[in-house]
């Protein structure tokens, strides 16, 4: 009697412990068995031991057949190829031991003698015929068919591996399965290929064993005749009768297990994946059609009326088939009546409220495509969009420190044929349309060639571009254009959308996951800050503030250490983000500083900087810019003028100001100049020299 109390004795506990000990020493037992088989071929065995081993051989073969019948898929018996080799070697060892005893002593034990006397009635001719029939069944029917099935299965399995691997990658990228599930499915595919490849070779063991059995019997007949006549002085007839019966008995006692093993081989290579074992599948799929059983019984009963055929067997079996058909028909009718009653009861019940909880969650990031862009996703047609999107996730992790959830890719019939849309939390943020069979040639500002094609504007960076055919590609590239294919265009657009909306994609659970992962390597940085000084939500808002201006958060240790120091002084998220920017000055500067350590940027006139700083007012929600609207508009126009001049000179738009005014100037220019980077002098390394491209002044 088992209980749930810890430490209480449970039924079967001793058996499980014993089984565990046996499993722990199984490697030694198998190694000893293989060595014993080799020794058995060399050292003569006593007849009593040979009887035991022959009985064990029959039992082992029967156990293997039954184990195969109870498997639901081939990989459940993945050790079968190796077991087949050991069983074949064991059987050959018994053949050698039996042959040695027959020729040396004229006595090979009671098992072989009984098979020679009782099974075939002491008739050598009958025994040889039965043995020949068994060999023909094994060699021509079972072994030949099993070998062919194993060969075809191995070939098809290997050919299907790339497609299965790509299907796993597609499900993983689409978020249908997890990384662990993908790993398990890849391992299953690899094991399946190894199994069928091994079975293709192992089937040759069975074929060789059948050939060896014929040769061994033939050699034993000649050898026994020679030993009986020339060494033991028997007459020719006496030698044939004595040694031939033993040889036939030895052949039969080894051929029956061989036939069982061959049958197990055929079953396992022809067994497809199912939900039940072989017996249940046969009962469900063969003896489950009432009409088939009715027709079978009727035909068998009619055959009983044929003159000369025995009436009783045909009537008996036909009647059983008709009875089975009737029972199956009655069972189906009862099932139909029960189903109708259940439907009637369900119809009378009031409708249950629909469970809409599964419809509520939104995917953080979605890429919807029109039906004309499906080939970009279909790997059978050479589409690599799924793999490229997976690379975007890795790229965002290395560049921005942003761990994105799987990006959902789905088709949308509401889009035009070659149109795609990018959604964040169910809301569309970008949409664009491709031209079928065309490449996009973008002018980075230095191209001087003229191209014939449909003019457009590149969606990610707003560059002027032209749709061209493949024939114009070389001309466009020589002329200074950047030519991209449709997949690269979609991936680039997706990457830029992620960068612009990175702060929206960083959820609170994502921050918790980042903190938990960082805690293993840097526990002090996390434990000092969270939850004593800041909550996870406050850390999230700081990280979102950094991401909103394109500042990577990959150096999370530095960010947390800075927050740990400054969170004791203030709780304002914008101010804490400014402290973090100063700590990340090297990371921020490296994007704009050239190899000569020179930062070419627009500077702010000191008087204007002071005016902006004096216009900052404290409110309940924190500090905010309270500048005169007219002066603020004039300042924004002056910044825009300098940015246009810098872009015309080929420089990146960067504005440098004091730390007290940086975030307020960024807020002022956010909508009119979203691509403008605003840096404070505190964020510039001492080794970097600022070279002014212009000075922002207002009258």
């Amino acid at each position: 009697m088992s209980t749930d109390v810890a430490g209480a004795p449970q039924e079967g506990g001793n058996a499980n412990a014993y089984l565990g000990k046996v499993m722990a020493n199984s490697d030694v037992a198998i190694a000893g068995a293989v060595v014993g088989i080799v020794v058995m071929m060399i050292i003569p065995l006593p007849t009593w031991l040979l009887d035991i081993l022959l009985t064990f051989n029959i039992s082992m073969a029967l156990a293997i057949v039954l184990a195969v019948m109870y498997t639901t898929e081939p990989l459940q018996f993945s050790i079968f190829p190796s077991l087949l080799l050991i069983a074949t070697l064991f059987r050959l060892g018994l053949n050698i031991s039996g042959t040695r005893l027959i020729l040396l002593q004229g006595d090979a034990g009671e098992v072989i003698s009984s098979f020679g006397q009782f099974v075939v009635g002491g008739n050598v001719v009958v025994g040889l015929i039965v043995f020949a029939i068994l060999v023909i069944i094994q060699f021509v029917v079972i072994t030949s068919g099993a070998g062919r099935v194993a060969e075809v299965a191995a070939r098809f399995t290997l050919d299907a591996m790339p497609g299965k691997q790509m299907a796993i990658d597609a499900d993983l990228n689409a978020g249908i399965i997890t990384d662990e599930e993908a790993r398990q499915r890849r391992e299953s595919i690899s094991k399946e290929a190894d199994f069928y490849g091994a079975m293709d070779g192992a089937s040759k063991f069975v074929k060789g064993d059948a050939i060896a059995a014929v040769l061994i019997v033939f050699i034993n007949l000649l050898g026994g005749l020679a030993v009986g006549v020339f060494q033991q002085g028997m007459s020719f007839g006496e030698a044939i009768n004595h040694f031939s019966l033993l040889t036939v008995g030895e052949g039969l006692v080894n051929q029956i297990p061989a036939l069982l093993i061959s049958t197990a081989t055929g079953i396992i290579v022809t067994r497809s994946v199912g939900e039940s074992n072989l017996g249940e599948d046969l009962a469900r799929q063969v003896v489950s059609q009432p009409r088939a059983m009715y027709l079978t019984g009727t035909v068998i009963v009619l055959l009983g009326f044929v003159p000369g055929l025995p009436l009783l067997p045909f009537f008996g079996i036909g009647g059983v088939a008709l009875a089975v058909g009737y029972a199956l028909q009655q069972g189906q009718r009862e099932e139909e009546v029960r189903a109708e009653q259940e439907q009637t009861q369900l119809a009378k019940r009031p409708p249950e409220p629909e469970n809409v909880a599964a419809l509520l969650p939104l995917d953080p990031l979605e890429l919807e495509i029109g039906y004309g862009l499906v080939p970009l996703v279909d790997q059978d047609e050479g589409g690599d969009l799924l793999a490229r999107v997976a690379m975007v996730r890795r790229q965002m992790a290395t560049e921005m420190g942003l761990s994105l959830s799987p990006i959902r890719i789905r088709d949308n019939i509401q889009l035009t044929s070659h149109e795609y849309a990018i959604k964040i939390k169910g809301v569309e943020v970008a949409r664009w349309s491709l031209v079928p069979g065309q490449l996009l040639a973008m002018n980075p500002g230095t191209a001087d060639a003229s191209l014939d094609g449909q003019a457009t504007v590149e969606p990610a960076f707003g560059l002027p571009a032209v749709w061209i055919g493949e024939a114009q590609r070389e001309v466009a590239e020589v002329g200074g254009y950047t030519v991209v294919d449709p997949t690269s265009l979609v991936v680039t657009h997706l990457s830029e959308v992620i960068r612009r909306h990175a702060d929206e994609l960083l959820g609170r659970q994502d921050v918790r996951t980042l903190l938990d992962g960082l805690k293993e390597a840097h526990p002090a940085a996390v434990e000092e800050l969270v939850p004593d000084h800041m909550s996870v939500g406050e850390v999230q808002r700081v990280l979102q503030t950094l991401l909103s201006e394109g500042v990577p958060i990959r150096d999370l240790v530095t960010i947390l250490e800075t927050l740990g120091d400054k969170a004791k002084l203030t709780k304002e998220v914008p101010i804490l983000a400014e402290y973090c920017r100063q700590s990340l000055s090297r990371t921020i500067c490296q994007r704009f500083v050239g190899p000569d350590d020179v930062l070419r940027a627009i500077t702010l006139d000191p008087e204007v900087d002071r005016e902006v700083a004096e216009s900052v007012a404290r409110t309940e929600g924190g500090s905010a810019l309270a500048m005169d609207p007219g002066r603020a508009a004039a300042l924004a126009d002056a910044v825009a003028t300098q940015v246009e001049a810098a872009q015309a000179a080929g420089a990146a738009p960067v504005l440098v100001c004091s730390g007290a005014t940086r975030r307020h100037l960024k807020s002022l220019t956010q909508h009119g100049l979203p691509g403008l980077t605003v840096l404070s002098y505190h964020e510039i390394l001492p080794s970097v020299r600022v070279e002014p491209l212009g000075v922002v002044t207002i009258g």
Side-chain angles (χ1 to χ4, degrees):
M1 180 177 181
S2 63
T3 63
D4 295 333
V5 180
Q10 294 186 1
E11 184 180 356
N14 294 332
N16 292 334
Y18 177 75
L19 181 60
K21 293 180 180 179
V22 172
M23 296 297 292
N25 298 322
S26 60
D27 55 340
V28 178
I30 295 299
V34 174
V35 173
I37 292 173
V38 176
V39 172
M40 182 175 61
M41 296 180 180
I42 302 173
I43 300 176
L45 299 179
T47 55
W48 64 268
L49 181 57
L50 182 61
D51 288 342
I52 294 175
L53 294 178
L54 289 172
T55 306
F56 175 76
N57 185 32
I58 297 174
S59 303
M60 180 180 66
L62 186 59
I64 291 174
V65 173
L66 295 177
V68 169
M69 293 180 66
Y70 279 99
T71 58
T72 58
E73 59 181 22
L75 286 183
Q76 291 181 350
F77 209 164
S78 59
I79 196 63
F80 186 82
S82 300
L83 181 60
L84 182 61
L85 173 59
I86 295 176
T88 303
L89 183 63
F90 179 53
R91 193 162 52 253
L92 293 175
L94 292 177
N95 275 325
I96 295 174
S97 297
T99 299
R100 183 187 294 112
L101 290 177
I102 291 173
L103 298 180
L104 288 177
Q105 303 177 10
D107 181 15
E110 296 182 5
V111 173
I112 291 178
S113 178
S114 298
F115 268 81
Q117 294 291 337
F118 178 74
V119 176
V120 296
N123 192 313
V124 176
V125 177
V126 174
L128 290 175
I129 292 175
V130 171
F131 175 79
I133 292 174
L134 290 176
V135 171
I136 291 173
I137 293 173
Q138 179 186 353
F139 184 74
V140 178
V141 181
I142 300 177
T143 303
S144 179
R148 179 57 179 166
V149 172
E151 180 183 354
V152 173
R155 185 184 307 164
F156 285 178
T157 302
L158 292 175
D159 292 343
M161 277 189 68
K164 292 181 179 178
Q165 294 283 7
M166 290 188 291
I168 293 173
D169 294 337
D171 291 345
L172 179 62
N173 293 330
I176 300 176
I177 59 176
T178 63
D179 292 339
E180 179 63 22
E181 291 173 336
R183 184 185 63 80
Q184 292 176 355
R185 287 174 58 176
R186 291 192 184 99
E187 290 181 356
S188 177
I189 291 173
S190 178
K191 290 179 180 178
E192 184 180 7
D194 294 341
F195 174 79
Y196 283 109
M199 283 302 303
D200 185 20
S203 61
K204 304 300 187 296
F205 299 150
V206 181
K207 181 178 180 181
D209 181 45
I211 298 174
V214 176
L215 296 177
I216 290 173
V217 168
F218 181 72
I219 293 172
N220 284 350
L221 288 174
L222 295 180
L225 183 62
V227 169
V229 173
F230 298 108
Q231 292 186 2
Q232 299 183 8
M234 295 181 179
S235 65
F236 186 80
E238 190 179 10
I240 288 180
N241 184 60
H242 181 70
F243 286 100
S244 296
L245 281 177
L246 292 177
T247 299
V248 170
E250 191 262 347
L252 289 175
V253 79
N254 284 295
Q255 197 58 33
I256 290 176
L259 182 62
L260 292 175
I261 297 293
S262 300
T263 304
T265 304
I267 291 175
I268 199 167
V269 297
T270 56
R271 186 82 168 102
S272 59
V273 178
E275 297 180 357
S276 306
N277 56 55
L278 180 61
E280 293 180 2
D281 286 344
L282 284 174
R284 183 173 57 253
Q285 298 178 22
V286 178
V287 195
S288 61
Q289 299 295 331
R291 293 183 180 179
M293 299 308 298
Y294 274 138
L295 290 175
T296 301
T298 302
V299 172
I300 296 300
V301 169
L302 291 177
L303 286 176
F305 290 103
V306 176
L309 292 180
L311 189 64
L312 183 60
F314 283 89
F315 274 28
I317 295 177
V320 170
L322 291 173
V324 171
Y326 177 77
L328 291 174
Q329 188 178 44
Q330 290 299 113
Q332 290 184 356
R333 288 178 178 174
E334 292 178 0
E335 289 291 334
E336 293 175 357
V337 172
R338 188 180 301 111
E340 291 178 357
Q341 292 176 350
E342 291 179 355
Q343 291 179 357
T344 303
Q345 292 176 359
L346 291 175
K348 294 179 179 179
R349 294 179 184 175
E352 296 182 358
E354 182 182 1
N355 184 11
V356 298
L359 305 176
L360 297 180
L362 293 172
D363 292 316
L365 191 60
E366 297 177 79
L367 175 61
E368 295 183 344
I369 59 176
Y371 65 88
L373 300 182
V374 171
L376 299 181
V377 184
D378 191 351
Q379 296 173 343
D380 294 336
E381 298 187 22
D384 60 346
L385 183 59
L386 288 174
R388 299 280 291 276
V389 169
M391 291 177 61
V392 169
R393 293 181 61 204
R394 291 191 288 269
Q395 181 183 1
M396 291 299 106
T398 55
E399 287 185 9
M400 305 294 294
L402 188 62
S403 178
L404 292 175
S405 301
I407 301 173
R408 186 84 61 183
I409 302 178
R410 56 165 60 100
D411 58 335
N412 187 348
I413 59 175
Q414 296 180 351
L415 298 174
T416 59
S417 173
H418 285 73
E419 194 174 30
Y420 67 88
I422 302 173
K423 292 184 176 181
I424 293 180
K425 298 177 182 178
V427 179
E428 183 178 311
V429 295
R431 178 185 290 211
W432 213 59
S433 182
L434 305 176
V435 176
Q438 299 285 298
L439 304 174
L440 189 68
M442 296 179 294
N443 186 354
T446 58
D448 53 4
S450 178
L451 298 176
D452 294 332
Q454 178 182 344
T456 185
V457 176
E458 189 271 337
F461 305 101
L463 299 175
V466 179
W467 288 108
I468 62 173
E470 182 66 34
Q472 291 183 275
R473 181 168 194 162
E474 185 175 354
V475 176
E477 291 176 345
V478 172
Y481 285 86
T482 301
V483 182
V484 295
D485 58 272
T487 302
S488 299
L489 184 62
V490 174
V491 170
T492 303
H493 193 186
L494 177 64
S495 301
E496 287 305 309
V497 168
I498 293 174
R499 289 189 180 93
R500 293 171 189 169
H501 300 271
D503 55 322
E504 301 178 44
L505 296 172
L506 182 68
R508 192 158 298 183
Q509 184 59 46
D510 299 327
V511 176
R512 168 55 67 187
T513 303
L514 290 174
L515 294 177
D516 291 342
L518 189 66
K519 192 174 183 179
E520 297 180 2
H522 302 275
V526 179
E527 294 172 356
E528 182 183 354
L529 178 64
V530 180
D532 294 339
H533 298 291
M534 293 184 69
S535 65
V536 175
E538 290 171 332
V539 175
Q540 176 200 9
R541 291 197 294 274
V542 172
L543 297 180
Q544 287 179 324
T545 303
L546 295 174
L547 289 172
S548 66
E549 294 193 45
V551 178
I553 60 172
R554 189 178 182 187
D555 189 3
L556 194 57
V557 175
T558 299
I559 295 174
L560 295 184
E561 289 177 349
T562 302
L563 293 177
D565 295 335
K566 303 301 181 181
K568 304 172 185 177
L569 306 177
T570 180
K571 295 297 183 181
E572 289 191 38
V573 170
I575 297 178
L576 291 173
E578 292 299 312
Y579 284 130
C580 292
R581 288 179 61 95
Q582 295 174 17
S583 300
L584 298 172
S585 58
R586 189 178 304 278
T587 302
I588 296 174
C589 275
Q590 68 177 359
R591 295 183 297 166
F592 309 104
V593 176
D596 52 356
D597 283 342
V598 174
L599 174 63
R600 295 170 178 82
I602 304 167
T603 60
L604 193 65
D605 183 78
E607 293 296 329
V608 177
D609 198 308
R610 184 167 53 253
E611 181 181 352
V612 174
E614 292 174 351
S615 301
V616 176
R618 297 287 302 178
T619 64
E620 293 182 358
S623 57
L625 183 63
M627 196 174 185
D628 178 75
R631 297 289 290 176
L635 176 57
D637 293 339
V639 173
T641 301
Q642 294 295 331
V643 168
E644 292 176 0
Q647 289 177 333
V654 178
L655 174 64
V656 179
C657 59
S658 65
T661 60
R662 194 212 69 82
R663 63 188 179 94
H664 301 292
L665 279 174
K666 178 61 181 177
S667 177
L668 180 64
T669 59
Q670 178 68 42
H671 298 287
L673 300 169
L676 174 64
T677 300
V678 183
L679 302 178
S680 71
Y681 288 104
H682 298 96
E683 299 167 359
I684 301 175
L685 297 173
S687 60
V688 175
R689 180 171 57 88
V690 178
E691 181 180 300
L693 294 174
V695 180
V696 177
T697 60
I698 52 178

